[in-house]
């Protein structure tokens, strides 16, 4: 009975913490209170979390804010940049002077750290071998990693309270990503990170860049919003959009004294296909940007010329 009372008390404390966690959500993070609460609850319960959404919408940032808010040990692994999944997740075997030695990976240390938050960034770009290795680690009924690179092949158990947070870009737009295995996805609680609305984007940029004029902030947010609407449209002309990561990059340049046309040229246009001349995605985005230029800049794009790349852009 005493143990039951203690357990109930702990459960009550955790439940109160979860439902009061809205206070931990930073102003810079534009995420609904419900999704933030679900994110906190999943981490507190040691669940695996997959944050999905288009590139540049703040998935990794949300995960990092969570770690800061919970004040727990954290480990970061960019699986999208991993060329050797076995070395990254298990370790390396070395042969020297006739002796065999094994160096375990940082991932092995991470999963043995109680209450750690392990961020698996860009899981959708990882090699399928990484997914196979992670299957038993992420499975609620198994939670182990076999170090089969080690001559003794020991089994490492995932420590109590460890939570895995993965980020994934999912959609036909991401040609460098792989279709995630359904068995792997079933091991996660899925949280969709929303694309910001015009007002949300404007609010976020205003808070982050107080020295940039409101008019310029509005222009950047409106350009992004126009590309997102076109991207979402069934008959849209764009296969990608201006992400929040891109709007932040543009505002960083504006804060450093770049003009909107200069910032757009280097931070937005390279992400849009220039093939097709005046019918290209890049020309379409140029026309969206042009609406926010001063009157004397109206001919900046020189769209009447044969070359789509002529002029300042």
């Amino acid at each position: 009975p005493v143990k039951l009372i203690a357990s109930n008390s702990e459960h009550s404390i955790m439940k109160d913490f979860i439902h009061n966690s809205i206070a931990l959500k930073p102003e810079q993070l534009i995420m609904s209170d419900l999704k933030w609460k679900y994110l906190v609850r999943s981490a507190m319960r040691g669940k695996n979390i997959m944050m999905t959404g288009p590139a540049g919408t703040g998935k990794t940032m949300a995960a990092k804010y969570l770690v800061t808010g919970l004040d727990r040990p954290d480990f970061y692994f960019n699986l999208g940049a991993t060329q050797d999944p076995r070395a990254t997740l298990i370790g390396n075997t070395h042969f020297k002077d006739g002796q065999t030695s094994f160096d375990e990976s940082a991932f092995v240390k991470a999963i043995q750290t109680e209450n750690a938050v392990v961020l698996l960034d860009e899981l959708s770009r990882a090699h399928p071998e990484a997914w196979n290795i992670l299957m038993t680690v992420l499975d609620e009924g198994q939670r182990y990693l076999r170090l089969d690179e080690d001559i003794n092949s020991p089994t490492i158990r995932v420590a109590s309270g460890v939570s895995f947070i993965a980020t994934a870009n999912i959609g036909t737009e991401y040609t460098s990503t792989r279709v995630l295995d359904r068995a792997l996805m079933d091991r996660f609680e899925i949280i969709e990170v929303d694309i910001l609305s015009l007002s949300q984007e404007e609010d976020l940029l205003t808070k982050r860049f107080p020295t940039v004029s409101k008019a310029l902030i509005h222009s950047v947010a409106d350009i992004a919003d126009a590309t997102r609407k076109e991207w979402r449209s069934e008959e849209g002309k764009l296969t990608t959009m201006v992400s929040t990561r891109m709007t932040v990059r543009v505002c960083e340049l504006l804060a450093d004294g770049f003009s909107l046309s200069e910032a757009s040229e280097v931070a937005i246009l390279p992400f849009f296909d220039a093939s097709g001349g005046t019918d290209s995605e890049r020309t379409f985005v140029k026309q969206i940007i042009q609406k926010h230029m001063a009157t004397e800049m109206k001919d900046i794009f020189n769209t009447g010329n044969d070359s789509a790349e002529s002029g300042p852009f």
Side-chain angles (χ1 to χ4, degrees), residues 51 59-61 63-64 67 74-79 117-122 163-167:
M51 307 189 72
K59 299 183 294 295
T60 304
M61 182 180 293
K64 290 181 177 179
V67 169
D74 64 287
F75 300 86
Y76 176 87
F77 300 92
N78 188 340
L79 297 185
V117 176
V118 181
L119 179 57
L120 306 173
D121 208 7
E122 299 194 4
S163 179
F164 295 92
I165 303 180
T167 66

Side-chain angles (χ1 to χ4, degrees), residues 20-269:
N20 292 324
S21 64
I22 303 304
L24 297 175
K25 188 176 74 169
E27 284 189 4
Q28 299 92 328
L29 180 64
I30 308 297
M31 173 182 277
S32 72
D33 288 351
L34 173 60
K35 290 187 178 182
W36 172 259
K37 189 165 63 174
Y38 183 38
L39 180 60
V40 171
R41 175 263 174 193
S42 298
M44 293 292 292
R45 293 295 184 190
K47 301 290 186 180
N48 306 322
I49 305 158
M50 180 180 291
M51 307 189 72
T52 67
T57 50
K59 299 183 294 295
T60 304
M61 182 180 293
K64 290 181 177 179
Y65 279 139
L66 173 71
V67 169
T68 302
L70 296 182
D71 192 24
R72 292 170 60 176
D74 64 287
F75 300 86
Y76 176 87
F77 300 92
N78 188 340
L79 297 185
T82 298
Q83 301 298 319
D84 187 347
R86 299 192 70 80
T88 299
L89 298 175
I90 297 176
N92 288 300
T93 301
H94 302 281
F95 300 95
K96 185 176 181 180
D97 299 329
Q99 299 292 321
T100 301
S101 62
F102 173 74
D103 294 330
E104 65 182 31
S105 68
F107 182 74
V108 174
K109 174 186 177 184
I111 66 174
Q112 294 181 90
T113 305
E114 286 193 7
N115 298 315
V117 176
V118 181
L119 179 57
L120 306 173
D121 208 7
E122 299 194 4
L123 183 62
S124 51
R125 294 184 64 239
H127 192 281
E129 187 175 9
W131 301 349
N132 293 333
I133 294 170
L134 289 169
M135 284 290 189
T136 57
V137 176
L138 298 170
D139 188 275
E140 194 170 324
Q142 300 183 70
R143 303 280 281 182
Y144 72 83
L145 174 66
R146 191 178 303 281
L147 305 186
D148 50 13
E149 293 291 325
D150 189 335
I151 192 171
N152 298 313
S153 296
T155 296
I156 302 298
R157 293 287 172 184
V158 178
S160 173
V162 173
S163 179
F164 295 92
I165 303 180
T167 66
N169 301 328
I170 296 177
T172 55
E173 160 185 18
Y174 305 104
T175 54
S176 62
T177 65
R178 298 179 171 89
V179 178
L180 284 169
D181 185 281
R182 178 56 190 267
L184 183 68
M185 288 194 68
D186 282 348
R187 285 162 165 74
F188 289 94
E189 314 273 325
I190 306 295
I191 298 178
E192 293 181 332
V193 178
D194 300 320
I195 299 171
L196 300 187
S197 67
L198 173 60
S199 60
Q200 288 174 326
E201 191 84 24
E202 200 166 349
D203 184 52
L204 173 66
L205 296 175
T206 299
K207 289 176 180 176
R208 290 194 62 172
F209 300 98
T211 62
V212 177
S213 73
K214 291 183 178 180
L216 280 175
I217 291 287
H218 175 74
S219 291
V220 174
D222 194 56
I223 290 167
D225 187 61
T227 66
R228 293 166 190 177
K229 288 177 178 175
E230 188 68 24
W231 175 67
R232 284 169 165 162
S233 172
E234 290 185 4
E235 298 180 357
K237 298 179 180 180
L238 299 180
T239 58
T240 188
M241 63 173 190
V242 174
S243 68
T244 296
R245 182 181 296 132
M246 292 162 67
T247 63
V248 167
R249 192 175 295 135
V250 169
C251 286
E252 288 174 343
L253 293 171
L254 294 176
D256 285 339
F258 284 70
S259 69
L260 180 59
S261 61
E262 292 171 333
S264 299
E265 180 181 350
V266 297
I268 292 180
L269 295 183

